[in-house]
Amino acid sequence: MNRQEVKYALTKAATLSKRLIKTAIQSSASDIHFIPQQEQVFIFLRCHGERQYQSTLSHQQYLMMLSYYKYIGKMDIGESRKPQQGVIYYEHNADTYSLRLSLLPTTPVESLAIRLLPQKQMQTLPHLFLFPFQLQQIQQWLQYRSGLLLLTGATGTGKSTLLYALLKTFMEQNKFQTITLEDPVEKQLDQIIQIQINERAGVTYDAGLKAALRHDPDIIMVGEIRDAKTAQFAFRAASTGHLVLSTLHANDGKGTIHRLVNMGITPLEIDHHLLAVASMKLLSLNDTGFGQRRAAIMELLEREQIHQVIADEPSCVTPSFQQLKRKAFAYGFTNYI
C-alpha cells in the first residue's frame, strides 16, 4: 500500500476501535477478547465476570485493527511470532482509561485481548464487600504500621481493586510516604510514588524493592508476588518496620500459607511477619435491589488463624467460601449456592 492507503486504513481502524471501546465502556466491560477463526474474528466482552458475544470482524478489518493497535501501543508491527504487550489511553466522558493490550501468536492470526482500567474511578472499601462484618475486619487492618498484608485469589477476583482502595483509605487517614511497584501501573494515585516494573531495563521487583527501601517509605505496595525472590524480599521489608501490601495467586486462605512455604518462606517468618490474608472471590448479585454488579466474599485469616494453619491445627475457624455462599443465598443476595 502507498502512504495514502496506509493513512486511510489506519483512520478506518481508529474509527472501528473507538466505536468498540465506547461500547465496552458503556457495557461496564472489564476486557475485550478477539478470537480469530478461519472465516472471521469473533469479539467478546467480559461484563461482570461473564464473557458475552459482541460482534464479528472480517480478517481484513481485524488485521487492520491489529496494525493500528501495534502502532499506537508502541509494539513491533512486523512481529507476529512472539507475545507482545502495550498500553494506550482513551478518553471517555471526562474519564481516562488505560487499555492494556496483550497479543498472542495463534492460528490463523494473532489473538488480541484488551483490559480496560478506568483511571479516575476508584472503588471505596464499603462498596466492595457483600458482608459488613468482613468490611469491619478489613478496616481494622488500617491500624497496622509494620508487617505484611496479603490479598489472594484467582485472576479477576478484585485483588488489585481492593489493594488500591486500601491504599486510598490509608492515605486519607494518615500522612504516609507510600511507594508502589507495579507491572503495569494500573491507576495513577495522588501523593504516591509509583514505580513501573520494566524487566528489560533491569527494573525488576527485586531491584525496585531495594531502591524503594532507600526512599524512606512507610508503606510499600508490591503489585504481585510472583516468585520466591520477591516473596523473600517482601518479608524482609516487612521485618524492618515497613508495612507491605501485596497480592498473590492462591485458591484460599490456607492455600496462601502453603504457597508461601513452597516459595521458601519459613513458618517462623510467616508467623512473625504475616499480619493477615484476605482470599477473595466475587459473587454476582441479584439484579433486584442491587443492580447488575458483583461483590467480594473473603476467607479472612488473621494472626491467630495463620498460627493455627502453620501448626496444622484442626481448630482453625474462619468462614469458608462455601459457607459464605450459602449465607449469601439465604439472605437473597444470589440465586445460587
Side-chain angles (χ1 to χ4, degrees), residues 1 5 51 67 76 83 89 122 129 147 149 155 160 182 202 241 247 250 258 272 280 324 328 335:
M1 290 194 296
E5 288 173 329
R51 196 175 76 153
S67 296
D76 186 346
Y89 293 91
M122 182 74 74
F129 294 86
L149 299 173
T155 300
S160 294
E182 306 171 70
T247 69
H258 298 151
H272 282 186
M280 305 175 61
L324 292 168
N335 292 325

Side-chain angles (χ1 to χ4, degrees), residues 155-228:
T155 300
T157 53
K159 300 186 298 296
S160 294
T161 300
L162 177 56
L163 198 56
Y164 277 106
L166 273 173
L167 274 182
K168 182 174 182 292
T169 308
F170 268 118
M171 294 304 294
E172 288 172 349
Q173 296 187 5
N174 306 279
K175 304 301 180 184
F176 287 145
Q177 168 81 327
T178 301
I179 301 176
T180 76
L181 297 100
E182 306 171 70
D183 183 19
V185 173
E186 294 191 5
K187 289 181 186 289
Q188 297 293 334
L189 300 173
D190 293 334
Q191 302 178 28
I192 287 178
I193 298 169
Q194 294 178 272
I195 300 173
Q196 170 71 54
I197 298 301
N198 185 344
E199 296 195 357
R200 289 183 181 178
V203 186
T204 62
Y205 273 111
D206 188 55
L209 275 168
K210 288 178 181 176
L213 285 175
R214 302 187 196 106
H215 223 69
D216 189 31
D218 298 300
I219 297 176
I220 299 173
M221 187 269 265
V222 180
E224 183 182 347
I225 293 177
R226 297 179 177 176
D227 52 37

